[in-house]
Amino acid sequence: MNTAKAAEASQFFSQSYAEARAKFLAAAEAAGLDAEPHWHPLLGREGERLAMDLVRQGPAKARKLLIISSACHGVEGFCGSGIQTALLSDAGWLAAVRAQADLAVLYIHALNPYGFSWLRRVTQEGVDLNRNFHDFAQHAELPANPGYEEIANALLPAHWPPSAADEALLSDYAARHGEAALQQAISGGQYKHELGLFYGGRAPTWSHQTLRHVLQEHGAGANDIAWIDLHTGLGPSGHGERIFAGSAQDPNQLARARAWWGPEVTSLSDGSSSSAPLVGLMWSVIERCCPQARYTGIALEYGTVPLKAMIDALRADHWLEAHPEASEDQLRRIKQQIRDAFYIDTPEWKQALLRQAFEAAQQALNGLEKSHEQQ
Ligand SMILES: [Zn+2]
């Protein structure tokens, strides 16, 4: 991407889901690519239809597949959608994809379109999609989170904003166990409080089920799959942390991710990431739906606001969901707060996002190409 284009980064980003979807579809059409909508059963905040939209560039039978996905966490989709639209609008990128005969790129626009449109991180089921990938049918015991139990009432008190006593309880937890343990308790995932934060659900969500169908169809012919899943909310503003999204049991996966995307690739399991260790992660869907494929993936996690501000925005939004009697004014303020916590609406931030995303996308192409040479 050239500098003049970078200065115009803002044009690819949007102010609503509806606008983001329109820009994405227009960019696909201009690139001569078809879009395949998977319609969502509910309507959006502006009365618009919602969909998980797919655009595929490359042969239907390509053995190498690069997935680039947005809005796993709905409101984070302002970032991912802008990046997808910028990629689809970039002649150099499209040509680089075309240059590899046996490769396809699958853009998944709005994994969680409901959360994107309604400015929520969770799905319409109130579920954190990136904690929802368990084999629920096996009736396996869902992971316990005793830390969350201890602070649940202070996190989501009856009144908002929270009282000094609520805040003191959280600070006290951090003082006793450490800040990292507090982050782990809040964000690690929990399966008991349906209206709570980072709730993983008790069944596959619409987004989970739809993604399985998508991957069964688009991943079946691939033997080498790479995935960049776009997120926001953790780390320094505008910095894209490359977080390994793969099996801690398979050291080759992490080694490959670091060979492709650099030694700075962090891991949830060794404390190197700004994220706490998590359960029920989305990438595991590859193992289930495309067991034939070698898999290499990262979450590209862009920083927005400080951790406490991000968590407080989520607390406010979950409080709002549990309190439909809240005033119009409070609703408006909380929705602005959560949007601002996951989307920094400045040209500089957007430009920084695109620069790092284009680099990571190109590195994925290089990694897939090299693996061909080795075969
Ligand atoms: Zn996220």
Side-chain angles (χ1 to χ4, degrees), residues 333-363:
R333 272 187 289 118
I334 288 175
K335 282 299 162 191
Q336 189 66 44
Q337 184 184 359
I338 184 167
R339 206 188 94 135
D340 291 348
F342 291 96
Y343 181 37
I344 307 298
D345 201 357
T346 66
E348 295 74 24
W349 190 76
K350 293 165 190 172
Q351 188 177 332
L353 262 55
L354 293 188
R355 184 178 49 72
Q356 296 164 88
F358 271 73
E359 184 189 51
Q362 184 60 53
Q363 287 168 323

Side-chain angles (χ1 to χ4, degrees), residues 176-358:
R176 281 183 292 123
H177 303 282
E179 289 290 344
L182 177 62
Q183 185 183 354
Q184 170 72 33
I186 297 172
S187 70
Q190 55 87 17
Y191 295 85
K192 277 195 181 163
H193 301 259
E194 288 183 29
L195 292 173
L197 280 72
F198 300 91
Y199 173 61
R202 295 198 188 98
T205 56
W206 176 88
S207 291
H208 174 156
Q209 289 175 308
T210 305
L211 180 59
R212 283 177 81 142
H213 290 304
V214 165
L215 291 178
Q216 274 153 8
E217 188 188 332
H218 285 273
N223 59 16
D224 204 354
I225 297 179
W227 191 351
I228 300 173
D229 186 36
L230 301 161
H231 291 258
T232 61
L234 290 174
S237 182
H239 171 70
E241 180 182 342
R242 296 150 177 221
I243 306 176
F244 173 57
S247 170
Q249 268 75 56
D250 180 356
N252 291 331
Q253 273 192 25
L254 177 58
R256 201 160 51 244
R258 286 186 170 146
W260 290 14
W261 286 295
E264 68 268 34
V265 168
T266 58
S267 166
L268 299 178
S269 52
D270 65 8
S272 60
S273 173
S274 65
S275 171
L278 311 173
V279 290
L281 292 171
M282 187 172 68
W283 63 262
S284 64
V285 71
I286 295 278
E287 289 180 339
R288 225 162 283 160
C289 296
C290 317
Q292 79 289 348
R294 189 183 78 159
Y295 162 71
T296 316
I298 52 169
L300 190 48
E301 170 79 57
Y302 291 100
T304 50
V305 297
L307 181 65
K308 168 79 173 136
M310 186 273 278
I311 296 289
D312 283 352
L314 290 178
R315 292 168 70 194
D317 182 59
H318 280 266
W319 178 88
L320 183 66
E321 190 69 13
H323 292 86
E325 77 283 6
S327 70
E328 266 299 311
D329 183 54
Q330 198 165 21
L331 182 144
R332 202 169 29 75
R333 272 187 289 118
I334 288 175
K335 282 299 162 191
Q336 189 66 44
Q337 184 184 359
I338 184 167
R339 206 188 94 135
D340 291 348
F342 291 96
Y343 181 37
I344 307 298
D345 201 357
T346 66
E348 295 74 24
W349 190 76
K350 293 165 190 172
Q351 188 177 332
L353 262 55
L354 293 188
R355 184 178 49 72
Q356 296 164 88
F358 271 73

